[in-house]
Amino acid sequence: MKTPYKNIYAVLKINRFIVLAVVICSVLSSFFAVWMVFNINKKVLNNAFAINTDGSIIPLKLVTQKENFKVEALAHLELFHNYFYNIDASNYEKNLEKALWLGNSSVDNLYRQKKADGVYNRLLQYSLIQKVVSIDSQVEEKNGVYTFKTVTVFEINRGSIIDTYELVSTGNLITVDRNFPNNPHGLLITNYFEKSLKKLNDEN
C-alpha cells in the first residue's frame, strides 16, 4: 500500500505561515526589548541612589538641567558683580581682572569706558571704598536664549560720607568651557549693559 503524499502547495503554505509567525514574534520581541531598555535607561538617568545606614537603598531624584543652569547662572552673576563693583584702591586691579574673565567684549568695553572717564583714578585719588551691599538677579529663558536682570546695591565710602546707589544691569548668558579658577561656572556674560543708576536716600 503506497503512502499518500500531501499536496506540496499545502505544505509550503503551512511552512510560510510558520516562518511569518516566527518573524512577527521576533520583531515584536525586539521592539519590546528595546522599549524596556530605553525605559530602564531613562529611569536610571533621572535617579540616583544612596545607601542608608541600615543598608537600604534610598532613591534620590536628580534636578533637571535647567535647574542646574539657573543655580550656576545666579552664582556666576553674583561672582561677576562682586568683582566688578566691590572695589577699592587696594584691590580694584585684581578684582576687575577677575571680572573680565566672566564676560565678553561688552564687559571689557564698559571697563575701558569707565577707565577713560576717570572712575578708577578718582578711586585712587580720594581713597574711595566701593562696597557691594546686595545682589539680586533674575534669569529667564526664551527660545534657548538666557537673559538676566541684576539689581546691585552698593555703597561708596568717601570718609565722613557714605552714599548708597542702586544699579540695574542686564545682559545675556552663554555656556563656555569651564576654566578653573578663572571661570568656574562655564558661563559668559554678553550684551552687558548698565541700564540705570540711582542714588538711594540715606536712612541713617
Side-chain angles (χ1 to χ4, degrees):
M1 184 178 179
K2 293 183 178 181
T3 304
Y5 290 98
K6 294 183 179 180
N7 188 300
I8 188 65
Y9 294 106
V11 174
L12 291 175
K13 188 175 181 180
I14 293 172
N15 287 342
R16 185 171 56 190
F17 174 78
I18 293 173
V19 171
L20 187 61
V22 170
V23 170
I24 291 174
C25 290
S26 299
V27 171
L28 291 176
S29 299
S30 299
F31 276 118
F32 180 75
V34 170
W35 178 81
M36 286 293 294
V37 170
F38 176 78
N39 196 35
I40 293 172
N41 184 61
K42 186 177 180 182
K43 288 182 179 180
V44 170
L45 289 176
N46 289 330
N47 292 275
F49 300 92
I51 306 299
N52 202 354
T53 53
D54 60 359
S56 60
I57 297 177
I58 306 173
L60 303 174
K61 192 70 176 179
L62 297 180
V63 295
T64 64
Q65 186 176 1
K66 285 188 177 181
E67 290 174 334
N68 281 333
F69 182 90
K70 187 175 181 181
V71 172
E72 295 272 11
L74 293 176
H76 185 84
L77 292 170
E78 183 170 355
L79 190 64
F80 167 76
H81 286 83
N82 262 315
Y83 281 147
F84 203 72
Y85 298 104
N86 200 71
I87 55 177
D88 57 40
S90 64
N91 69 8
Y92 83 98
E93 288 184 333
K94 180 178 64 177
N95 280 9
L96 291 173
E97 181 181 353
K98 291 179 179 179
L100 292 176
W101 276 95
L102 307 178
N104 73 345
S105 58
S106 61
V107 174
D108 184 63
N109 290 339
L110 178 61
Y111 159 71
R112 293 177 184 276
Q113 180 184 335
K114 287 178 178 287
K115 188 175 182 180
D117 292 341
V119 172
Y120 306 119
N121 283 337
R122 289 193 293 272
L123 194 74
L124 293 171
Q125 184 177 357
Y126 300 106
S127 299
L128 303 179
I129 299 174
Q130 185 169 294
K131 179 182 178 182
V132 171
V133 177
S134 65
I135 300 170
D136 182 24
S137 297
Q138 302 293 327
V139 179
E140 295 183 357
E141 184 266 337
K142 187 175 181 181
N143 298 326
V145 178
Y146 289 89
T147 61
F148 70 86
K149 176 183 177 182
T150 301
V151 178
T152 305
V153 177
F154 61 89
E155 297 175 342
I156 296 182
N157 189 326
R158 308 177 191 276
S160 59
I161 302 174
I162 298 178
D163 295 324
T164 305
Y165 296 87
E166 180 186 86
L167 171 71
V168 178
S169 56
T170 59
N172 301 109
L173 287 169
I174 60 174
T175 56
V176 294
D177 291 336
R178 294 178 189 268
N179 185 337
F180 187 83
N182 297 319
N183 192 333
H185 301 289
L187 296 171
L188 196 69
I189 295 171
T190 64
N191 301 319
Y192 187 68
F193 179 64
E194 291 184 342
K195 188 175 181 180
S196 66
L197 177 66
K198 67 177 181 179
K199 185 176 180 181
L200 302 179
N201 293 330
D202 198 353
E203 297 180 357
N204 295 328

Short mmCIF file of all heavy atoms in Angstrom, two decimals, residues 79-80 83-84 92-103 181-183:
data_model
loop_
_atom_site.label_atom_id
_atom_site.label_comp_id
_atom_site.label_asym_id
_atom_site.label_seq_id
_atom_site.Cartn_x
_atom_site.Cartn_y
_atom_site.Cartn_z
N LEU A 79 29.12 86.40 41.39
CA LEU A 79 30.58 86.48 41.37
C LEU A 79 31.04 87.67 40.53
O LEU A 79 31.92 88.45 40.96
CB LEU A 79 31.14 85.17 40.80
CG LEU A 79 32.66 84.96 40.91
CD1 LEU A 79 33.08 84.86 42.37
CD2 LEU A 79 33.06 83.69 40.15
N PHE A 80 30.45 87.83 39.35
CA PHE A 80 30.84 88.92 38.46
C PHE A 80 30.58 90.28 39.10
O PHE A 80 31.46 91.16 39.10
CB PHE A 80 30.10 88.82 37.14
CG PHE A 80 30.21 90.08 36.30
CD1 PHE A 80 31.38 90.36 35.61
CD2 PHE A 80 29.17 91.00 36.25
CE1 PHE A 80 31.51 91.53 34.86
CE2 PHE A 80 29.28 92.17 35.50
CZ PHE A 80 30.45 92.43 34.81
N TYR A 83 33.00 91.14 41.85
CA TYR A 83 34.32 91.51 41.34
C TYR A 83 34.31 92.88 40.69
O TYR A 83 35.24 93.68 40.87
CB TYR A 83 34.80 90.48 40.32
CG TYR A 83 35.35 89.20 40.90
CD1 TYR A 83 35.20 87.99 40.24
CD2 TYR A 83 36.04 89.21 42.11
CE1 TYR A 83 35.71 86.81 40.77
CE2 TYR A 83 36.55 88.04 42.65
CZ TYR A 83 36.38 86.84 41.97
OH TYR A 83 36.89 85.68 42.50
N PHE A 84 33.26 93.18 39.93
CA PHE A 84 33.24 94.40 39.12
C PHE A 84 32.92 95.66 39.94
O PHE A 84 33.37 96.76 39.60
CB PHE A 84 32.23 94.25 37.98
CG PHE A 84 32.50 95.16 36.81
CD1 PHE A 84 33.56 94.91 35.96
CD2 PHE A 84 31.70 96.25 36.55
CE1 PHE A 84 33.82 95.73 34.87
CE2 PHE A 84 31.95 97.09 35.46
CZ PHE A 84 33.01 96.82 34.62
N TYR A 92 41.22 96.95 43.27
CA TYR A 92 40.41 97.13 42.07
C TYR A 92 41.04 96.47 40.83
O TYR A 92 40.33 95.91 39.99
CB TYR A 92 40.13 98.62 41.81
CG TYR A 92 41.22 99.37 41.11
CD1 TYR A 92 41.17 99.60 39.74
CD2 TYR A 92 42.31 99.88 41.81
CE1 TYR A 92 42.17 100.30 39.09
CE2 TYR A 92 43.31 100.57 41.17
CZ TYR A 92 43.24 100.78 39.81
OH TYR A 92 44.23 101.47 39.16
N GLU A 93 42.36 96.52 40.71
CA GLU A 93 43.00 95.91 39.54
C GLU A 93 42.81 94.40 39.53
O GLU A 93 42.48 93.80 38.50
CB GLU A 93 44.49 96.26 39.53
CG GLU A 93 44.77 97.72 39.19
CD GLU A 93 46.26 98.00 39.10
OE1 GLU A 93 47.04 97.29 39.77
OE2 GLU A 93 46.65 98.92 38.36
N LYS A 94 43.01 93.77 40.69
CA LYS A 94 42.86 92.32 40.79
C LYS A 94 41.40 91.90 40.57
O LYS A 94 41.13 90.93 39.86
CB LYS A 94 43.34 91.86 42.18
CG LYS A 94 43.23 90.37 42.42
CD LYS A 94 43.77 90.00 43.79
CE LYS A 94 42.94 90.62 44.90
NZ LYS A 94 43.41 90.21 46.25
N ASN A 95 40.47 92.63 41.18
CA ASN A 95 39.05 92.28 41.04
C ASN A 95 38.55 92.47 39.61
O ASN A 95 37.79 91.65 39.09
CB ASN A 95 38.21 93.11 42.00
CG ASN A 95 38.24 92.55 43.42
OD1 ASN A 95 39.01 91.64 43.71
ND2 ASN A 95 37.41 93.09 44.29
N LEU A 96 38.95 93.57 38.98
CA LEU A 96 38.49 93.83 37.62
C LEU A 96 39.07 92.81 36.64
O LEU A 96 38.41 92.41 35.68
CB LEU A 96 38.87 95.25 37.21
CG LEU A 96 38.10 96.36 37.93
CD1 LEU A 96 38.66 97.72 37.58
CD2 LEU A 96 36.61 96.29 37.61
N GLU A 97 40.30 92.38 36.88
CA GLU A 97 40.90 91.36 36.02
C GLU A 97 40.10 90.05 36.11
O GLU A 97 39.86 89.38 35.10
CB GLU A 97 42.35 91.11 36.44
CG GLU A 97 43.06 90.08 35.58
CD GLU A 97 44.49 89.83 36.04
OE1 GLU A 97 44.97 90.56 36.94
OE2 GLU A 97 45.12 88.91 35.50
N LYS A 98 39.67 89.71 37.33
CA LYS A 98 38.86 88.50 37.51
C LYS A 98 37.48 88.67 36.86
O LYS A 98 36.94 87.72 36.27
CB LYS A 98 38.69 88.21 39.00
CG LYS A 98 39.97 87.77 39.69
CD LYS A 98 39.74 87.53 41.17
CE LYS A 98 41.01 87.06 41.86
NZ LYS A 98 40.81 86.84 43.32
N ALA A 99 36.91 89.87 36.95
CA ALA A 99 35.59 90.13 36.37
C ALA A 99 35.61 90.00 34.86
O ALA A 99 34.64 89.52 34.25
CB ALA A 99 35.10 91.51 36.77
N LEU A 100 36.71 90.41 34.23
CA LEU A 100 36.80 90.36 32.77
C LEU A 100 36.81 88.93 32.23
O LEU A 100 36.45 88.71 31.07
CB LEU A 100 38.05 91.11 32.30
CG LEU A 100 38.02 92.63 32.53
CD1 LEU A 100 39.36 93.25 32.12
CD2 LEU A 100 36.88 93.27 31.76
N TRP A 101 37.17 87.97 33.06
CA TRP A 101 37.12 86.57 32.65
C TRP A 101 35.68 86.07 32.54
O TRP A 101 35.41 85.07 31.87
CB TRP A 101 37.87 85.69 33.65
CG TRP A 101 39.34 85.63 33.42
CD1 TRP A 101 40.31 86.39 34.02
CD2 TRP A 101 40.04 84.75 32.53
NE1 TRP A 101 41.56 86.04 33.56
CE2 TRP A 101 41.42 85.03 32.64
CE3 TRP A 101 39.63 83.74 31.65
CZ2 TRP A 101 42.38 84.36 31.91
CZ3 TRP A 101 40.60 83.06 30.92
CH2 TRP A 101 41.95 83.37 31.05
N LEU A 102 34.75 86.75 33.20
CA LEU A 102 33.38 86.27 33.29
C LEU A 102 32.45 86.88 32.24
O LEU A 102 31.27 86.54 32.20
CB LEU A 102 32.82 86.55 34.70
CG LEU A 102 33.70 86.04 35.85
CD1 LEU A 102 33.08 86.41 37.19
CD2 LEU A 102 33.91 84.53 35.75
N GLY A 103 32.97 87.80 31.43
CA GLY A 103 32.14 88.44 30.41
C GLY A 103 32.91 88.58 29.10
O GLY A 103 34.13 88.41 29.05
N PRO A 181 40.61 78.56 38.00
CA PRO A 181 39.60 79.27 38.79
C PRO A 181 39.03 80.51 38.10
O PRO A 181 38.26 81.23 38.70
CB PRO A 181 40.39 79.67 40.04
CG PRO A 181 41.76 79.97 39.49
CD PRO A 181 41.97 78.99 38.35
N ASN A 182 39.44 80.75 36.84
CA ASN A 182 39.03 82.00 36.19
C ASN A 182 37.54 82.04 35.87
O ASN A 182 36.90 83.09 36.01
CB ASN A 182 39.84 82.19 34.90
CG ASN A 182 41.32 82.34 35.17
OD1 ASN A 182 41.73 83.01 36.11
ND2 ASN A 182 42.15 81.67 34.38
N ASN A 183 36.98 80.93 35.41
CA ASN A 183 35.56 80.88 35.07
C ASN A 183 34.99 79.53 35.53
O ASN A 183 34.78 78.63 34.72
CB ASN A 183 35.35 81.08 33.57
CG ASN A 183 33.90 81.32 33.21
OD1 ASN A 183 32.99 80.89 33.91
ND2 ASN A 183 33.68 82.00 32.11
#
